[in-house]
Amino acid sequence: MKRQFFFYLMLICSAAMLGSCSKNIIERTDNLPALTPSDIDINAGTWKTILLKRPDTFAVNAPALTNSPAYLAELNEIKGLQQNINSAQKSIIKYWSAGSVLRWNEIMRELVEKYNLPPYQNPDGTYPAPNANNPFAYPQFPFSNPPYAARAFAYISAAQYDALVAAWYYKKMYNRSAPYTVDSSIKALVPKTVLPAYPSEDAVVAGVTVEMMKLLFPTEIAFIQQKLEEEEEYRLISGANVRSDIVAGEALGRQVAAVFVARAKSDHAGAAGGSPQLWSSLASNISAQGQTPWISLEFPKRPPMLPLFGNVKPFLFDSLTVIALRPGPPPSTSSDDFHQENAAACAQIKNPTREQNRIVQFWADGVGTFTPSGHWNAIAADDFIKQNYSEVRWARNMALLNMGQMDAAIVCWNTKFYYFNPRPSQMIADIKTLTGVPNFPSYISGHSTFSESASTILGHIIPANASKYEAMSAEAAKSRFIAGIHTKLDCDAGLKVGKSIGDFAVYRAMTDGAE
Amino acid sequence: MNQNIIYKIKQIGLLAFSVFIFSQMQAQTDADAIMMNKNQLCSGPAYGYSTWDHYWEGTLHRINRNIGTVTTQSVMYMAVYGITGKLNVMASAPYVWTHASAGTLHSSRGLQDIAVFVKWKPVAYSFAKNKLSVFALGGFSTPLTNYEIDYLPLTIGLGSTNLTGKAMVDFQHKRFTITASGAYVWRSNVKIDRTTYYDTRQHLTNEVEMPNAAQFQFRSGYRGRYLIAEGVVTNWTTLSGFDITRNNMPFPSNRMNMTTVGAAIKYTLKQDTHLSVMAGGNYTVTGRNVGQAGAFNIGAFYAFYVKNNGNKK
């Protein structure tokens, strides 16, 4: 018997040892191959820009000739770096060669997750607000909630796109080859390309993104500056760029960013938080119409999330179109129809199945996550990786997606605060939700609006996946009903609005010169 | 001997219903120094109740009016069997349900983890009126259902498969006893329902690495023929993991630590020594990323010989 016991004990120990090895987790984008575009999009310098008036709004000086002493010195710098490549440098090469737009998109998502935390209340029951002018004080700036995140993704993606269109314009114009092409003794540690190297597309993306992030995530400047330096080092070590390619690219990126920063500072987002007077007038206006106004379900009651975000200036259409896209009112809060919608949510939530719970958690995208927009960025990135896009096409597709996300947030928030409609769990206290109740009005569903906007443009970009995206969007919308967060009516209306916004992105895609 | 068996099961239950924001280490048992005889089977149901309104967000002690008071209840069936007098095997499985008194979050419920422990007493040494015993234990627990893990603090469990190795020393002088034990708990990774999460950085995977843990327990008291009464101090330390960030939700791989103090009693009926009842309670005196729970448990057990092997007392 003892012998048997030892046998089992050994079995358990060896299982534990085996198991501890298997604790290493390989993440989805840990081992990506280097980006090898199927088409270098050599004419992307003619694609329609978003804010830049022209691709050559900012001048990029002609580069030194590849037989000049200055250029030869730059080649020598690379040769020196390639003498001793350490393991840290190898991992930088592996990481960044998967794609600049992809990696910066991942970094953006990470920052959104990190800062998506609602502030804790003050002792008197009021709530502090993050302050862009004092970003390190608690609560740190920003609180990257869904509208904030959608806007951040849009500005960064759009700025990257314009900067890369400008870069492609100069690449074609100056047509300076990559160092490994000029000098065969330089090793190409990335796949070779005939795309001209000046200015460096990686440095353009890094420069424009770092400048945008200074505005959007000001407490992370040191972190993102380190990422920029890593990326630029990777381009040198890998033989893909000489230093002048990088210097010119980074400078161009930073100049383009200034145009987007100026717009961001005047797009009304800074005033979206409103004031105590506004918060109470929203409720009293609705009460005056004989409707039950939304109230916060948090303790203590938290001011609604960015009530004036619906006034932010959109990317894909003008502010009058925001009002035109706003759907008609939900049923009166005292009507039978409205009661039945909430009663259906209540009936649904009584006995959720495990599969329903899975759907809810998959799409919850609440506190501490990358928000619905970030989720769709992740979905898009996972599929774009397989498409082998050039960097400029990556940026263009992300910009289309994210301008649609920001504009979805604008129209959705405009609608939410125009009707100030209560949540199902406000109307029926028995409704317990499978994830946290967002702190803003119910009608229309944000998840539904974001998701249908995303699925519409993504289905246009990758038609083979269109039905998959449509099913995902429908599931995202449904997740909010089965979570007890929304009525079906909220979700259906959100899907409809999201579709209209996605169509604006599709229209732009069909006319931007890239298809 | 019955009482000892039942006593053992009581300990199973006591740990089982202790403190955690959620239960996990619970189904592990085996905290005591009692062995069953060969072919003896003792089993029965137990009920546990645990509640907290204060918790530690990292090291910050706070309440949350959007959760109110969190209550975890469970019913469990436990069994212990003597393969020999020096080698016992035990198993348990709880059904757990949780509830928050405030806010809108939905309750959850379900069958949690099955736990199986093997307990071996290689050393038993008597001198004068003293007895000294040494034990080695190996445990295995794993979820019985695919319950929602990523729903703290209202999940019913943490979802990992655990392997436990434990050493225990028991000293008895007349009716006075001291028992000390230390355990290492290896926890498997778990999978959550989302494809990306953030702990101290972003992870592009649904897989979460669960930090391993250590558990220490010290118990001392009276061990009589019918009544056993002890004070118990237990410490659970997660060996890595991260703190809940400010005003964030908890996460399965948080560094969950706690120290509880409590008492456990068990009484074997004189009229019928097959039957016994037990009760216990404990309170979390210090913790990190867990609820400051007060908990109690009760149970009733029946013991008998599966076959007569001639050494029944």
Side-chain angles (χ1 to χ4, degrees), chain B residues 11 13-22 25-26 31 49-52 56 214-220 230-237 256-264 280-288 290-297:
Chain B
Q11 300 312 333
L14 185 61
L15 247 193
F17 301 128
S18 61
V19 272
F20 252 143
I21 284 193
F22 4 84
M25 61 197 235
Q26 316 196 337
Y49 179 94
S50 150
T51 184
W52 53 266
W56 287 275
Q215 191 206 3
F216 304 94
Q217 190 177 74
F218 178 82
R219 51 199 307 136
S220 181
E230 287 177 302
V232 184
V233 178
T234 307
N235 171 266
W236 172 273
T237 300
M256 297 181 193
N257 296 344
M258 64 193 166
T259 300
T260 66
V261 295
N282 62 51
Y283 184 69
T284 305
V285 290
T286 167
R288 183 166 173 172
V290 296
Q292 184 168 25
F296 75 87
N297 62 293

Side-chain angles (χ1 to χ4, degrees), chain A residues 29-110:
Chain A
T29 63
D30 278 355
N31 291 313
L32 291 181
L35 177 60
T36 315
S38 56
D39 181 340
I40 60 168
D41 289 315
I42 190 65
N43 293 315
T46 64
W47 293 358
K48 188 171 140 194
T49 45
I50 294 162
L51 291 188
L52 290 189
K53 296 273 187 293
R54 308 161 45 89
D56 58 352
T57 296
F58 298 105
V60 172
N61 292 335
L65 297 174
T66 54
N67 57 5
S68 66
Y71 190 82
L72 293 177
E74 294 198 300
L75 292 178
N76 284 337
E77 181 188 9
I78 298 175
K79 287 175 191 172
L81 287 168
Q82 288 191 338
Q83 295 287 315
N84 285 303
I85 300 174
N86 62 34
S87 61
Q89 290 170 323
K90 280 179 186 158
S91 63
I92 288 170
I93 293 170
K94 184 180 169 184
Y95 173 82
W96 282 106
S97 64
S100 182
V101 174
L102 166 69
R103 292 307 189 191
W104 282 108
N105 186 267
E106 290 180 351
I107 292 166
M108 266 200 286
R109 279 182 258 149
E110 178 168 34

Side-chain angles (χ1 to χ4, degrees), chain B residues 54-75:
Chain B
H54 281 71
Y55 66 102
W56 287 275
E57 179 182 280
T59 53
L60 176 69
H61 196 221
R62 64 168 288 188
I63 58 166
N64 188 333
R65 292 173 65 201
N66 295 301
I67 299 172
T69 299
V70 173
T71 305
T72 303
Q73 298 179 80
S74 55
V75 289

Side-chain angles (χ1 to χ4, degrees), chain B residues 65-105:
Chain B
R65 292 173 65 201
N66 295 301
I67 299 172
T69 299
V70 173
T71 305
T72 303
Q73 298 179 80
S74 55
V75 289
M76 154 185 253
Y77 197 83
M78 289 170 287
V80 188
Y81 179 69
I83 296 169
T84 73
K86 293 192 171 186
L87 184 65
N88 286 188
V89 59
M90 55 198 87
S92 60
Y95 184 90
V96 178
W97 62 105
T98 65
H99 178 73
S101 69
T104 72
L105 279 183

Side-chain angles (χ1 to χ4, degrees), chain A residues 5-6 19 23 27-28 106 110 113-114 117-118 120 298-299 349 354 361-362 432-434 437, chain B residues 62 66 103-104 106 118 146 148 151 186-187 189 193 195-196 198 201-204 210 212 246-247:
Chain A
F5 175 67
F6 276 120
K23 272 194 163 184
E27 298 180 18
R28 282 200 299 291
E106 290 180 351
E110 178 168 34
E113 290 155 15
K114 185 175 179 182
L117 293 172
Y120 188 73
E298 293 192 35
F299 302 97
I349 203 65
R354 180 66 184 85
Q361 301 307 333
F362 181 82
K432 295 295 179 183
T433 55
L434 298 180
V437 180
Chain B
R62 64 168 288 188
N66 295 301
T104 72
H106 203 280
V118 174
N146 175 31
E148 180 68 51
Y151 188 56
W186 178 91
R187 303 196 293 179
N189 293 352
D193 289 332
T195 51
T196 304
Y198 186 93
R201 67 170 179 90
Q202 175 174 246
H203 294 264
L204 296 175
M210 292 291 281
N212 297 334
R246 186 70 180 118
N247 217 28

